[in-house]
Amino acid sequence: MSDNLVQLLPDAIANQIAAGEVIQRPASVVKELVENAVDAGADEINLIIKDAGKNLIQVIDNGCGMSETDARMSLERHATSKLRTAADLFSLHTMGFRGEALASIVAIAQVEMKTRRATDDLGTRIAVEGSEVQAQEPVAAPPGTSIAVRNLFYNVPARRNFLKSDSVELRHIREEYIRIALAHPSVRFDLHVNDKLDLSLVSGNLRQRVIAIFGKKYRDLLVPIEEATDVLSIGGYVGKPEAARKSKVGQFFFINDRYIRSSYLHHAVTMAYDELLSKESYPFYVIFLEIDPARIDVNVHPTKQEIKFEDERLIYNYLKATIRHGLGRASIMPTIDFESDNPFSPSRTSYSPTMSQSDSEQPLPSKMNRETPRSGSPTPPSEAKRHANNLRQWEQLYENLEVEVDTDTGEVLQSRLGQEEDTDAPSPHGRAPFQLHHRYIVSAIKSGWLLIDQQAAHERILYEGFLQTLRDKPATSQTSLFPQTLDLAHADADLMQSLLPQLNQLGFDLEAFGGGSFIVRGIPAELAGRNNELDLLERLLQQYKTNVDLSSDGHDRLARTLARAAAIKRGTGLEETEMRSLIDRLFACEQPRVAPNGKKCFIKYTLDEVERMFAG
Ligand code: ADP
Ligand code: MG
């Protein structure tokens, strides 16, 4: 025996080890074979699976096929017709990158390949087992390639035992299949599982493909997105908020047609939806990014489906903006899509005369401006229009609403509904809002009633107000009779110091005194009365620290946190005028439906629904 300890591994074992990297489970074989078929220019690809791929995975394509030499070569490691330079790794139209897939597969399975180029009379059949070629012969075959992989991991028992149940492995296979099918909607795909047709996808466009895979209900749920610059273009579809699911099932990113995962980009998408989604739900999306391969970091393991790019931040922002734009065009954002949502009948539109001027670019009815702009300049025209439009929609909800406005202060003195609808007798008291359990406000509307969560509603109102103040105008503060001192621990003092400019802008009269002390001379007029100054500031710091939302910029985060800290809490009794004011202000918000944290602000009950409940 040689006394050298270092030896070269036998080829077969080296191949098996390498194979373990590329091929982890049957789904990896599916991915590699189907991607090769796509690369070969096939427009029909047939995938046949038996026993979750443990016993058979076969891919038949009508692509370019291979010559006899190429067929033999393709099974060698690092044999590839595709890789030319590193930049090609993510080049636009080929999936393969290392010439290792086939070599890996033949190392750990029994493989039969039949292939013929359209220009050749005869094709080639090669049978391989554990990297050993068992047979190679001419064969009559249709143009294209068929590769059958049997008994995966037959010679690596540890791996084979490691495989999960058939249903789990099959799920992985379907996932890979769907990803590739989404990236190539013009290719026809058929999937057979245990001799049954499982999913057949005819050639079409992306929209048709998405609907074919995810179901007809997606017909009305897809919002196209599209945007392009020199370095980056974005296309595809995002789902309307209704398409969002509690589980992560419909999220697809493709970079240069390659499926990737990216929690970073996923975050950008979620942020684009903002409050349109509740916290725990995932939006549906199939998004294609085309990026100059030179800008992609290729030093990432190719099978991990992860990717790094230069300008990550830029791509993040661009993606977010693109989706917002798409949702906006589909009237989902920033106003709510009343048309498709159709929560209320648009048939009667007799909102009060005060509101009917809202098409003009006049400053909006004072009702809208009550929150922050006490000292304010008029709302910018475009924003005003948006508000107006939103408001008009809400007015239909609160049909016949009359608002009495104090002409000096712009305060809403009282709002009440004028005529009762249709045939009902007028009932002056019927419409007064009332509180339930010191928690909800019940407010009648034409078609039924709203159940409003007082805290969520107030958070929404404050949040929008704070944001606006931070953006455009300093708020007035209400000076306390006696200045108070807030003593903070070191870290909190630093945080407070960093928030000071924004807090001052929001109307906090606050000054650092040194040694972690701050003098509080006043708080925003909006918040005075209901809140103890020091408590409020401490709550704010506490929540600011826990509410770490990387996405939101400084303004947004502060506005959210402060809204949270200052909103009317559950258990607080409200006067009728307070309730009315809350309702008015809520519906003057840009997004009255949800609180900044995604919780609903109100639920609508219609008489129809209630009637159905009684129907028995
Ligand atoms: P890669 O895809 O990275 O090049 P593979 O091991 O997957 O590496 O394939 C090796 C080569 O075999 C490919 O570059 C291609 O030339 C050829 N090949 C594989 N599958 C097919 C196919 N279905 N049709 C035509 N050629 C194929
Ligand atoms: Mg390949």
Side-chain angles (χ1 to χ4, degrees), residues 32-33 36-40 59 61 63-66 70 73-76 79-83 95-104 113 115 144-147:
E32 297 298 337
L33 294 185
N36 279 347
V38 169
D39 287 350
V59 175
D61 69 56
C64 64
M66 286 174 267
D70 282 351
M73 276 291 291
S74 72
L75 308 176
E76 299 292 329
T80 173
S81 59
K82 299 164 195 171
L83 181 65
M95 306 292 152
F97 31 80
R98 303 192 309 178
E100 278 192 21
L102 284 185
S104 299
M113 173 196 281
T115 184
T145 303
S146 156
I147 298 182

Side-chain angles (χ1 to χ4, degrees), residues 54 63 90 322 529:
K54 293 169 186 172
F90 284 92
T322 301

Side-chain angles (χ1 to χ4, degrees), residues 417-431:
L417 286 156
Q419 297 305 301
E420 287 291 321
E421 74 267 22
D422 302 337
T423 56
D424 286 352
S427 138
H429 307 296
R431 302 288 191 137

Side-chain angles (χ1 to χ4, degrees), residues 447-469:
S447 58
W449 70 89
L450 302 181
L451 187 62
I452 300 169
D453 181 320
Q454 64 188 46
Q455 185 175 343
H458 198 213
E459 268 183 59
R460 162 54 64 184
I461 295 167
L462 291 175
Y463 166 71
E464 290 196 6
F466 293 147
L467 259 192
Q468 206 182 351
T469 309

